Amino acid sequence: MNATGLRIGLIGPLPPPSGGMANQTLQLATLLRGEGATVEVIQVNRPYHPLWIGKVQGVRALFRLLPYLTHLWRSAGSVQLFHVMANSGWSWHLFAAPAIWIARFRGIPVVVNYRGGEADTFLGKALFWVKPSLDRTDAIIVPSGFLDAVFAKHGVSTEVVPNIINLSRFSAGDARSSAERGGPCLLVARNLEPIYDNATALRAFSLVQGTFPAARLTIAGSGPELSALKKIADELGLTQSVTFTGRVDNEGMAALYRQADIMINASLVDNMPNSVLEALASGVTVVSTNVGGVPYLVEHEKTALLVPPQDPKAMAEAILDLLNNPIKSSKIQQAGMESVQQYAWPQVRNRLLQVYEKVLAKKNNPLVRPT
């Protein structure tokens, strides 16, 4: 399918803050426009006006929701389809479900692009409320085989269209050894939230320092766990070795990857983390927990090393295995760089446009449109 002239209402968050879904929304809009499509972004996290409203719980949701619904209704009268970036929890109920129903009322097809490692829990608890909206979508796409299996478990069919990695932004850095860098450089690229368990990454790094005292750790991200993590770093005597960068934009993250030797992902719940894809594309070896969709994304001992969650000792041993075996590390690094090519836009483009073509065909032929 040729995207030229296609009019798409793309619904999702935009940076700031930078994050997996926000970055994917922004990137997808840019890439589709590059294909000749007209993309109207309906932003679900627009800044509050006035700004002080954002500090008033309850009221702030209303101030964001009403303009959002108005934008949805108006956009549905001019675009050919909605593409909804959806997640679990209140995000689904407040943003995804209204988009689906408005599309239904306005007579345009809707593609739900569902992501998030907590889908199984969410669907298990809320399927009664979610299913009516899911039944009124024209296509549900997920970024991984993991989520495809989760939805199938709950009786919902999906298609896999992977996340997109910008290989022009994320590429391998220089070939300096860790000794030339002054010691191994480790990187955590997840927000500071409980589900990402950055505390385990800190404790694993403390064990690594027993063998590599000059090792350094950068934790790039923002979130509510900052104070607690800084306290852990202080208790472990890591204050001088750990850098908390706060929020980092896309260009800044690319620079951090190029400086890193190993990327650590200690998450407890995950789907298809963009940070892992970005690390692979940047030539950074990955040590990750084997949770959720991660084993669908990388293969243990081939493109990454996988360890159990909440196990600092196992994580430290995997990191030391890479640092002590440069030949092994190099092989995994190269295999990771090769594997990530499947997530470049030229490969993902056709799969996504085929979904668009199918739902538009259903719109033109009501006899095959879902009820």
Side-chain angles (χ1 to χ4, degrees):
M1 178 181 181
N2 191 325
T4 301
L6 188 61
R7 303 187 308 280
I8 303 165
L10 179 59
I11 299 153
L14 292 174
S18 292
M21 187 181 291
N23 289 340
Q24 283 289 306
T25 303
L26 179 61
Q27 184 171 235
L28 182 58
T30 302
L31 291 167
L32 286 170
R33 287 167 181 153
E35 295 287 335
T38 298
V39 180
E40 181 179 356
V41 177
I42 299 105
Q43 186 178 353
V44 302
N45 62 338
R46 291 180 64 182
Y48 294 103
H49 295 292
L51 291 176
W52 62 264
I53 289 294
K55 299 179 182 179
V56 184
Q57 293 187 1
V59 175
R60 65 186 181 188
L62 186 63
F63 269 71
R64 179 170 279 170
L65 186 60
L66 290 178
Y68 169 69
L69 294 176
T70 301
H71 193 177
L72 278 177
W73 186 265
R74 187 178 66 249
S75 176
S78 61
V79 301
Q80 292 172 276
L81 65 89
F82 273 171
H83 181 136
V84 184
M85 308 293 270
N87 208 335
S88 305
W90 280 108
S91 174
W92 171 268
H93 298 298
L94 291 175
F95 302 118
I100 293 168
W101 286 95
I102 285 176
R104 185 74 172 184
F105 290 142
R106 298 300 300 268
I108 63 169
V110 58
V111 175
V112 167
N113 191 172
Y114 200 103
R115 49 228 301 126
E118 297 180 288
D120 193 21
T121 301
F122 176 61
L123 292 175
K125 292 180 178 179
L127 189 62
F128 176 82
W129 303 104
V130 174
K131 192 68 161 55
S133 298
L134 290 175
D135 288 343
R136 283 157 180 81
T137 63
D138 295 88
I140 303 168
I141 59 176
V142 293
S144 68
F146 165 68
L147 276 183
D148 184 53
V150 166
F151 273 84
K153 171 184 172 182
H154 295 279
V156 180
S157 297
T158 65
E159 298 180 52
V160 177
V161 178
N163 283 345
I164 306 157
I165 180 70
N166 187 341
L167 296 181
S168 65
R169 176 179 296 132
F170 298 102
S171 56
D174 59 51
R176 288 184 301 158
S177 66
S178 60
E180 291 174 307
R181 298 172 191 254
C185 296
L186 279 58
L187 174 66
V188 170
R190 304 308 297 262
N191 283 329
L192 312 185
E193 299 174 13
I195 63 171
Y196 298 129
D197 193 19
N198 292 314
T200 287
L202 276 170
R203 295 186 175 101
F205 175 68
S206 178
L207 296 174
V208 169
Q209 270 213 319
T211 303
F212 291 89
R216 292 170 291 145
L217 173 64
T218 298
I219 299 181
S222 60
E225 295 287 292
L226 177 60
S227 296
L229 292 169
K230 284 187 172 181
K231 182 178 179 182
I232 292 171
D234 184 56
E235 291 171 349
L236 294 172
L238 301 176
T239 305
Q240 301 302 314
S241 305
V242 177
T243 300
F244 291 89
T245 67
R247 185 180 298 165
V248 180
D249 62 20
N250 288 337
E251 296 303 326
M253 279 308 309
L256 287 177
Y257 286 121
R258 287 193 292 269
Q259 297 164 13
D261 297 299
I262 296 172
M263 182 268 205
I264 306 171
N265 179 47
S267 58
L268 304 175
V269 176
D270 236 325
N271 170 33
M272 186 181 179
N274 286 336
S275 56
V276 170
L277 291 177
E278 292 166 358
L280 296 175
S282 302
V284 180
T285 46
V286 172
V287 174
S288 174
T289 48
N290 58 355
V291 299
V294 175
Y296 291 76
L297 187 61
V298 291
E299 183 178 346
H300 180 53
E301 292 281 352
K302 183 175 180 181
T303 55
L305 295 185
L306 301 180
V307 299
Q310 296 184 305
D311 192 337
K313 185 173 183 291
M315 180 161 279
E317 288 173 350
I319 294 167
L320 290 171
D321 186 18
L322 294 173
L323 294 177
N324 288 319
N325 295 281
I327 294 177
K328 176 179 180 177
S329 180
S330 179
K331 287 181 178 179
I332 291 176
Q333 175 198 42
Q334 186 60 39
M337 291 178 66
E338 292 172 1
S339 72
V340 84
Q341 299 298 317
Q342 64 186 296
Y343 305 109
W345 176 241
Q347 279 65 50
V348 179
R349 171 192 178 278
N350 289 340
R351 297 172 73 165
L352 179 60
L353 293 184
Q354 284 171 6
V355 173
Y356 289 169
E357 184 175 33
K358 181 178 69 175
V359 301
L360 288 169
K362 290 179 181 177
K363 168 62 178 176
N364 292 329
N365 182 1
L367 293 178
V368 298
R369 195 172 181 193
T371 60

